[in-house]
Structures are given as C-alpha cells and as structure tokens.
Amino acid sequence: MNRKLILAGAAAFALAALALAAAYFYVPGGARPSFDEGDVRICLNGDGTMDLFWPEARLGGTPAEESAREDETAPPDAPASGDVSYLLEVRNDEQSRPALTSSQPMLLHCTALELPLELRIQAVTEGKNLLGLSRTLTSPVLTVEVDGTELSAPEAIGLPGPGTLSLSWEQTGPVPELYEIFTLEDGGYRRVVSTSEKQVDLTVRKQGGDLLLPGYGPLLEVHVRAGVRGAGYVLCGPASNAILVERQDLLGDDLNLAYREAEPRVFTLEWDETRGEYYEVQEWSEEGWTLLDTLEPAESFTYELGRLGSGSRHRFQVVAKDRNGTLRSSEEAEFFASVDPLYATIWPIIDQPFFEEADGESATLGKIPGGTALCVLMEEGDWFRVRYKDQYGWVDSRFCMINLPEYVGDHCSYDITNSYRSVFKVHENPIALITDQVVQGFEHIQEAGGQFLVPYLYPCSKKLLSAAQAAEADGYRLKIYEAFRPNEATRFLYDTTAAQLDWAALVYSYEDAEGEPLGVDEDPRILDPVTGWVVDLADGLLTDPETGEKISREDLALRQEEAENPEGQEAPYDEPGPGGQLMTPAESQDSPAAETPDLPFFTLPEEGEGGSLDPADPPPEPQPAPLPEEAPEGEEDGGETPEYETYFQIMTNNGRFNLGSFLAKVASAHNRGIALDLTLEKLDGGEELEMQSAIHDLSWYSAAYLNNDNAKRLEKYMTGAGMRGLSSEWWHFQDDETREAIGLTSYLFKGVDMSGWVWDGWGWRYRDADGSIYKNASFTVDGERYASDSNGYILQE
C-alpha cells in the first residue's frame, strides 16, 4: 500500500515537473527565429573597415500563429519580427572581435580583420513563458568561412536620365566573378543588384524602382564593388568612386498634366514632377496666358481650381522653368466643366406657386411673380429650390427660364445685339429707332462686365445643349443672338417697323458731306435717299444741311405739301406718302394694304414670326423689285421725282411676304422663352459661317427655301434636337413640343434683369439690375436692412 502511494506520488511529481518545465520553456505564439535563404556579404572598405550583410531572420511558428501576427491578434507576450536582434562574432586565426550586436537586419559596419576569417551570426528574440518569465529564443548559428582574395576598386561612370541611371565601369587587376551595386544611405550601404557585366541600367522611381528617387538636398550616391562567391557568402572589394546624382538629373520632362472632377464642377489639376526649379500654373483667356500661381518643387503636385461655371470651357497650362527663366517643359489640359443648374440665375416665365417641398401637393408659401430673378440652390426632379423674400422653397423648373451662359456655358457663344446695338434691318437698309439702338425691353440684358443675360426655358435648354454638342463634334459652335424677347419688345419692333414700311428705305453712305471717302474707323452716314439729308437712327429725325435744324420725315412731307400747294389749291393726289414723297396710284398699289391673292403667302403660327418650315407649295423664287431705269445720257428726266424702293418693297418682294412673316404683331414664341435666333461659327477662331443673308434681315432674302449649305447645317442640328424652324427666317428655331407638353400659354410682357439674391457656395450676395454686386454697402431689400463686406457677402442675417 505504501509502495503504491509512493509510486503515485512520484508519478504526480514527475508530471508536475514536466508541466513546470513545459510552462518554463513554452512561449505562447513564439518560436525560434530562422534565417531566410541567401548569402552573407562581406564588403571590404579602403579605410580598413568592412560592411556585413546577411539574410533577414524571421520568426517561425504554426500557420495559425503566423496568421495571428499578421492580423495583429497574437498574444501580447508573443515576440514580433521587429524585436529580433543579431549577435555577430568575427575572428581569424590570430584574433577575434568581441561579439557585436545589431538591431538592424542585414547590415553592420565594423573594423575589418585580415582574411581569411570566420563569421558567426545568430538571431535572438525575447518572449514570456507560461510562468510569465522572460525567455530568450535563438536561431541556429549561421557560419561562413571567408577565404582571402585580392580585389581592387572599379572606376565607375554614371549617366543619369529621366527615371534611369546608366552605370559603366572599368576594372584593373584580376577579373572578378561579379559586380555588386550599392547605394550609400543614412551612413550605410544598401545592396541594389548584382551583375556579371561591366554596365547596368537602373530604374529610379519614387517607389518600386531599383533606386529610390532622392529628396531635395541629399544626393543619390552609388558605388560599384568587384566580388567573388564563396560557400554561403559573397566577398566584395573596395567601393568604386562615388557616383553622385541630383534629384533633378533623374526627372523627366513629361508633366502628365491631368484634371480631376472631385464633385460636380469642382476640379483639380494634377501633374508629375519634372526637371525645373519651379512651376507656373497658367490659364488661357482672350488676352493670352494668365499666371495663376507659382509653385516650388515638390514630390507631387495638385492645384485646386475650385467650382467652375457650368458648361464652361477651360484651358490650363503648367510650365516647368529654371530660375533663370529657361523653359524645361510645359503641358496643356483643355476641358468643359460638367453641366448642371446649381447657382444659376432663373426667372419664372409666368407667376409661379412657391412650395415648401419639391411637391406640388405640399403647402404653398405664396406666389413668385414672373420675371423675378432667383438663384438655384438645389435641383430635385422637376423642381428648383430657391430663396424668395427670405423664404426657402421650391418652384417648378419647367416654367423657369435659365440664364444660358450660366448653364450651357461655353458650349454656345452669345451676342445679344438688341441689348447694345441692334442689327435688325430690312436687307441692307437700316430702320430708324431700331437699327444700332437698344431695343425696348433689353435695357438690362448686357451686364456691367459686358456679359449677357440669355434667358431660355429650362426644358428647352437641355435640347439646346444636345444641338450644341452635335455642332461641336463637327467643329462648330452655336452663336445665339436672341433667346427670350419681352412682349414689349415684340410690339415695339412690329409697330415701329410697320410705321415706316411705305417710306423710302434709308441707305448707308461711305462718303462725307464733301464727297470724300470716310476713314476706316468712321461709321457710315445714314441718309434719306429722297432728300439726301442725314438721318439720326436714335430719333429718326433728318438734319437740314443748311440750317442744321432737325425735322421728322412727316413734318418735312407736310412742309413740302404746303409749299407745292398754296392755300386754296387742290392737291394733285389724295394723300401724301409717308416718306415725304407724294405717291402715285401705281406706287400706292405696292403698299401693305394691297392684296395680291395670286402670289403665295406664308401663314403665321400663333401670330408669330414666319410660317411652316416646309410649306406645301413652296413659292417661286422671288425676284427683287426692279429699280427705276436711269435716263439715257444727255437726256433730262423731265423734272420728275425719282422713285426709291420702300421698306415694304424690299422686305416683301412686292407682296410675296409681309411684315408678319418676320415680326409678330401681338405675341411670339420668343415671349414664352422657347425660341432662339442663332447662327453657326467655327469652334476654333469664332468666325461666323456665311448664310444667305445677315441675321435679323427682315426681308425675303432670309427665307428658309433659299438656305445655303451652312444654313442647312444649322437646321440639321436644331431640328435634330427637337426644334422647329420657320420658313421666313433661317436663324429662328422654337420648341413647340415643350410648350405643348407643359401647357404654356402665357408670356412675359416686361424684360428681365439680374437684381436679386445670389449664392455661390460661400455666402449670400445681392446683385443690382446690371449684375453688379453690392460691396461694402448697407442696403434694404424687402424691408430688411443688410450690410456687405468688400466681396459683397452679407455680414449678418
């Protein structure tokens, strides 16, 4: 019994001892380190030192333990590869060095011993056993015996280039088996590559190359060593002369300029570092390249352009230069910003309900009068979020005109001549009170900075963008002369032109009063062909050359009548002609009131300009009215008053057309914001394409059946986008589909302007009617007092 107890106790003691031993020796998650495959390298230096390189030591363990380390889930007391240190012993037959410790894998700089020598390396790491006691884990000893060999230093030459360093060298003495390329970094050598040749091309990159691109200031230092192989080692002789290379010498000339759109219309320029001591960022404008910024050298470059205008076309350039101004390289980037209505100016075409939500069933905040300038803060479906009288809500975007330069942007160009110098004429004959004048209702269309407001119904503008992009693909750009025309302008144009139809058409003279040619910078004189007197287009008055007195054509006609028919005598004709000439019965038959039922007539859509694009029975080509025959040389004209063509004759080809073919009397598609007057220009250079007549030529010369190839090209782009043309005007296109789809029947009588609140992502500002911002000002809007800073932003609300 006692014996059994003794044996049981002994067994328990033995198990406890084994468990204690296991707990002492076992390190959780740990294992003895071991060396990777590879040779030890011994590099002898000319100063009596040597540099040692050896394979890196890694920790062993089960796959699960290795995975745990990689996932950072190993026990906290498990050793990590960064905790490995190395014990080195160097000795030869005559002496030995004390054991050296290195915390760096693969490199140690120490005093050299005479060859041959023995090198012993052991990897060491620390861990804790199950008892919580520290335990040292060691690798097997890596031993190499190095034989003595005489090696000399090569003479090296380096040729740097973009992203490369080409090395070549010469070797004196015994020819070695190989050559090793090293860089000197942080006071120590780093091996790069081995070769058996006497030249090598090394790639130099910021990452992933044979060599790392040096920073600014430090030089890249490269050496070549001759080497021989031994059992488990490579012995390298002294380093060659140093090849020193600057960062600039390794850079290329390819900037690789690119642009990136981080969010809608927010752009960044990016480019690679190249040779050059600084960089200029430039932007192209009509005046040429403009400097935006100058940047010092860096390893990478980005330049924030900020939020660009919708549809705006941009051309940027980055230029690399030396300090003396020498151009190293340059690259351009050209692009269109994306198109969206954010922050664009809009105007309701009619009075619009103002809703709390983007839903016509939500509560209303009132009504916004048609023509009110608003700023788009957000788009959601068919709704725009806007601010109106310090309230925020939603309006139906389908009934809003949007400012085309702020939406379509540079996909079109704009020249709203009615806002500064109208080009309306009857063929080549100016119209008093209209030609060269600001048309009534267009007073605020040209902004203070020279830009134009071009209101156009938002759904139609999407079709316009499609047409514009089709034209761009062919190398052309749509040039818009008119979009929205207020109804007051429509009525003014019609009534003013109608009142002059029977007058002799005014003509241009390119001679002064003495008959001398005008200078190239002088505007032609406007003459009344009947009297030869100068006419002021601004007021329509003639100037008597003898007295300098201004007089209307009507008053001059009455004066002539009184002079030719003293009181009590019967006038030879019933009524004087409105041009100051007494009209003969034959002349009166050419008046607009005359009926010519045997000639084709163009029907008018909704009392608007022109007729259908393809009339069922196209009229025969009109011929201009014959001019009066000149009297044969030597014969007198018998004192008869010469005849001059009237506006009516030139415009209508003696009744084949009428004024309504070109100008609406009551309302037109322009008044509803669905019509455009436009032409084509070349995308590069901006030269307008030649059409069969000038734009806004109110005469039969503009008829669509006379379209030349350029006018047909314009028609293709516009009708391809869903627009409809008119038979009497090659330049006019309107979106009847949209008008019918949304049920638009009303129109705006008055013109629009820019006055109102505008948001640009940074803050609120207030614009005047001409588009200028209130800066450093105190002002009242809708009964509230505001103050703005030097940039126009509201200080407090």
Side-chain angles (χ1 to χ4, degrees):
M1 185 68 174
N2 290 335
R3 182 178 181 183
K4 289 183 179 180
L5 290 174
I6 292 172
L7 290 175
F13 179 78
L15 290 173
L18 289 173
L20 183 61
Y24 178 79
F25 287 104
Y26 179 69
V27 177
R32 296 179 66 188
S34 59
F35 288 101
D36 285 346
E37 294 293 328
D39 294 324
V40 176
R41 279 176 169 75
I42 303 96
C43 296
L44 304 177
N45 300 318
D47 60 359
T49 62
M50 64 181 178
D51 291 285
L52 305 177
F53 301 81
W54 57 90
E56 184 177 6
R58 297 187 180 276
L59 298 177
T62 66
E65 291 171 337
E66 288 294 312
S67 177
R69 285 191 200 87
E70 294 175 1
D71 295 339
E72 299 183 354
T73 58
D77 53 357
S81 60
D83 297 329
V84 176
S85 60
Y86 302 90
L87 298 177
L88 297 100
E89 184 179 356
V90 184
R91 63 187 179 187
N92 61 14
D93 293 340
E94 298 180 359
Q95 59 181 318
S96 65
R97 291 292 178 198
L100 304 172
T101 303
S102 173
S103 60
Q104 302 179 49
M106 302 182 290
L107 175 61
L108 185 68
H109 184 74
C110 61
T111 303
L113 295 178
E114 294 292 332
L115 297 176
L117 59 78
E118 181 182 78
L119 178 63
R120 296 167 59 85
I121 307 172
Q122 188 174 39
V124 181
T125 188
E126 296 291 330
K128 290 187 178 181
N129 61 19
L130 291 177
L131 300 177
L133 302 175
S134 296
R135 290 278 291 117
T136 299
L137 302 176
T138 60
S139 71
V141 176
L142 179 62
T143 303
V144 294
E145 296 181 357
V146 182
D147 294 331
T149 303
E150 185 175 346
L151 295 169
S152 60
E155 289 292 329
I157 299 173
L159 182 61
T164 63
L165 176 61
S166 296
L167 293 175
S168 60
W169 53 88
E170 295 294 332
Q171 178 73 41
T172 59
V175 177
E177 298 177 39
L178 53 84
Y179 296 94
E180 301 258 278
I181 313 302
F182 291 84
T183 58
L184 186 60
E185 302 173 7
D186 299 326
Y189 286 99
R190 181 181 73 85
R191 176 180 169 274
V192 178
V193 70
S194 297
T195 179
S196 59
E197 305 293 331
K198 288 188 177 182
Q199 68 84 32
V200 67
D201 293 328
L202 303 174
T203 59
V204 186
R205 301 282 187 271
K206 294 178 182 178
Q207 57 184 8
D210 299 322
L211 303 174
L212 292 177
L213 191 67
Y216 287 96
L219 301 178
L220 174 63
E221 184 173 342
V222 183
H223 296 265
V224 182
R225 295 176 183 265
V228 293
R229 292 186 181 278
Y233 71 90
V234 175
L235 176 65
C236 296
S240 69
N241 54 297
I243 303 299
L244 302 176
V245 185
E246 292 184 351
R247 182 184 181 93
Q248 285 282 316
D249 295 332
L250 297 165
L251 298 175
D253 293 324
D254 293 330
L255 288 160
N256 297 317
L257 180 61
Y259 59 89
R260 178 171 53 86
E261 188 174 12
E263 57 181 277
R265 293 165 40 200
V266 177
F267 283 83
T268 301
L269 291 179
E270 298 176 340
W271 66 93
D272 294 336
E273 181 184 15
T274 63
R275 290 183 295 178
E277 297 176 293
Y278 68 95
Y279 300 82
E280 290 182 351
V281 182
Q282 304 173 355
E283 183 175 16
W284 179 260
S285 65
E286 293 181 356
E287 290 74 31
W289 289 107
T290 301
L291 179 65
L292 297 180
D293 206 350
T294 300
L295 303 179
E296 293 299 314
E299 294 187 8
S300 62
F301 293 93
T302 59
Y303 186 80
E304 301 297 334
L305 298 173
R307 189 180 300 277
L308 304 179
S310 174
S312 54
R313 186 183 187 186
H314 297 274
R315 183 180 171 192
F316 295 99
Q317 178 177 240
V318 173
V319 179
K321 293 182 177 180
D322 289 336
R323 295 296 176 190
N324 61 7
T326 301
L327 177 67
R328 283 289 192 173
S329 58
S330 66
E331 286 188 23
E332 295 182 23
E334 187 172 355
F335 58 90
F336 278 101
S338 55
V339 175
D340 73 73
L342 187 65
Y343 308 149
T345 305
I346 59 169
W347 300 266
I349 189 66
I350 56 177
D351 293 354
Q352 277 288 285
F354 191 32
F355 295 97
E356 286 187 354
E357 305 294 338
D359 182 355
E361 301 299 322
S362 66
T364 62
L365 301 171
K367 275 199 173 183
I368 301 178
T372 302
L374 304 167
C375 178
V376 177
L377 303 178
M378 185 184 301
E379 181 181 26
E380 187 175 313
D382 288 331
W383 299 90
F384 284 149
R385 180 171 170 79
V386 298
R387 171 183 182 173
Y388 176 63
K389 289 188 175 181
D390 287 337
Q391 288 186 304
Y392 295 85
W394 299 82
V395 294
D396 191 334
S397 64
R398 300 173 301 164
F399 291 89
C400 292
M401 297 185 295
I402 194 165
N403 188 26
L404 288 178
E406 295 180 80
Y407 178 65
V408 175
D410 295 328
H411 290 287
C412 296
S413 64
Y414 314 90
D415 190 7
I416 312 303
T417 51
N418 286 341
S419 69
Y420 66 97
R421 194 170 183 176
S422 175
V423 296
F424 275 111
K425 298 177 185 177
V426 176
H427 200 41
E428 298 174 356
N429 304 90
I431 310 169
L433 305 176
I434 295 177
T435 306
D436 294 341
Q437 308 306 305
V438 175
V439 174
Q440 180 178 322
F442 284 83
E443 293 83 359
H444 299 296
I445 291 301
Q446 187 173 31
E447 300 177 65
Q451 299 85 5
F452 299 102
L453 300 184
V454 191
Y456 191 50
L457 203 67
Y458 183 54
C460 306
S461 67
K462 298 177 183 179
K463 294 184 179 181
L464 173 65
L465 177 61
S466 174
Q469 291 172 333
E472 285 170 355
D474 293 337
Y476 304 105
R477 179 168 47 221
L478 302 180
K479 184 174 183 178
I480 298 173
Y481 275 85
E482 189 175 353
F484 166 69
R485 179 190 300 168
N487 187 249
E488 62 175 319
T490 291
R491 294 171 186 259
F492 168 80
L493 289 169
Y494 185 93
D495 294 343
T496 305
T497 305
Q500 303 179 63
L501 278 180
D502 287 334
W503 294 100
L506 300 179
V507 295
Y508 289 103
S509 173
Y510 296 90
E511 296 179 347
D512 61 19
E514 285 72 36
E516 296 296 324
L518 296 173
V520 293
D521 296 329
E522 295 183 88
D523 289 334
R525 298 190 303 154
I526 312 299
L527 301 180
D528 168 33
V530 177
T531 63
W533 293 2
V534 172
V535 178
D536 186 344
L537 290 178
D539 55 24
L541 301 179
L542 293 77
T543 300
D544 188 329
E546 295 183 1
T547 65
E549 176 190 9
K550 280 191 149 188
I551 187 171
S552 70
R553 299 172 92 178
E554 292 87 348
D555 289 344
L556 181 60
L558 291 174
R559 180 188 297 180
Q560 291 176 342
E561 180 184 356
E562 292 172 356
E564 295 174 4
N565 299 283
E567 186 176 354
Q569 294 187 15
E570 186 176 327
Y573 307 114
D574 292 338
E575 295 290 341
Q581 291 180 264
L582 299 180
M583 301 176 65
T584 66
E587 290 174 319
S588 66
Q589 292 176 4
D590 290 335
S591 69
E595 296 292 336
T596 54
D598 57 323
L599 297 175
F601 181 75
F602 287 86
T603 57
L604 308 181
E606 56 145 13
E607 300 181 280
E609 302 98 316
S612 62
L613 182 62
D614 298 308
D617 298 308
E621 182 173 338
Q623 299 297 322
L627 295 175
E629 295 183 3
E630 296 183 3
E633 186 175 353
E635 295 185 12
E636 298 296 331
D637 59 7
E640 294 182 2
T641 303
E643 295 183 1
Y644 301 95
E645 283 193 294
T646 65
Y647 285 110
F648 174 76
Q649 290 172 319
I650 299 171
M651 174 187 290
T652 69
N653 196 244
N654 285 314
R656 290 177 173 86
F657 292 79
N658 71 4
L659 177 59
S661 303
F662 309 101
L663 294 174
K665 182 177 183 179
V666 178
S668 77
H670 282 286
N671 305 157
R672 295 177 169 86
I674 64 169
L676 292 169
D677 292 348
L678 73 169
T679 187
L680 281 174
E681 65 181 14
K682 293 181 179 178
L683 191 58
D684 295 328
E687 179 186 358
E688 284 192 28
L689 303 189
E690 184 177 354
M691 304 295 183
Q692 66 262 31
S693 74
I695 198 167
H696 287 171
D697 177 359
L698 307 179
S699 77
W700 66 270
Y701 293 92
S702 304
Y705 72 89
L706 298 176
N707 277 1
N708 62 13
D709 289 342
N710 293 330
K712 291 176 182 176
R713 182 178 290 112
L714 173 64
E715 178 187 324
K716 178 188 72 172
Y717 296 137
M718 299 306 294
T719 57
M723 307 286 188
R724 184 175 73 86
L726 298 181
S727 60
S728 53
E729 298 175 351
W730 60 260
W731 60 77
H732 178 107
F733 295 89
Q734 59 192 54
D735 186 1
D736 292 328
E737 292 177 352
T738 292
R739 183 193 63 185
E740 294 169 3
I742 65 176
L744 179 61
T745 57
S746 299
Y747 51 82
L748 277 180
F749 179 78
K750 298 295 291 183
V752 300
D753 59 43
M754 293 288 277
S755 58
W757 292 107
V758 59
W759 175 267
D760 60 1
W762 296 96
W764 283 105
R765 299 191 290 178
Y766 196 84
R767 289 184 301 206
D768 205 347
D770 64 359
S772 59
I773 298 292
Y774 288 1
K775 299 180 180 180
N776 288 325
S778 295
F779 53 93
T780 301
V781 178
D782 297 326
E784 296 291 333
R785 196 71 179 162
Y786 299 93
S788 60
D789 64 14
S790 59
N791 294 313
Y793 292 106
I794 302 303
L795 297 174
Q796 290 182 346
E797 285 197 69

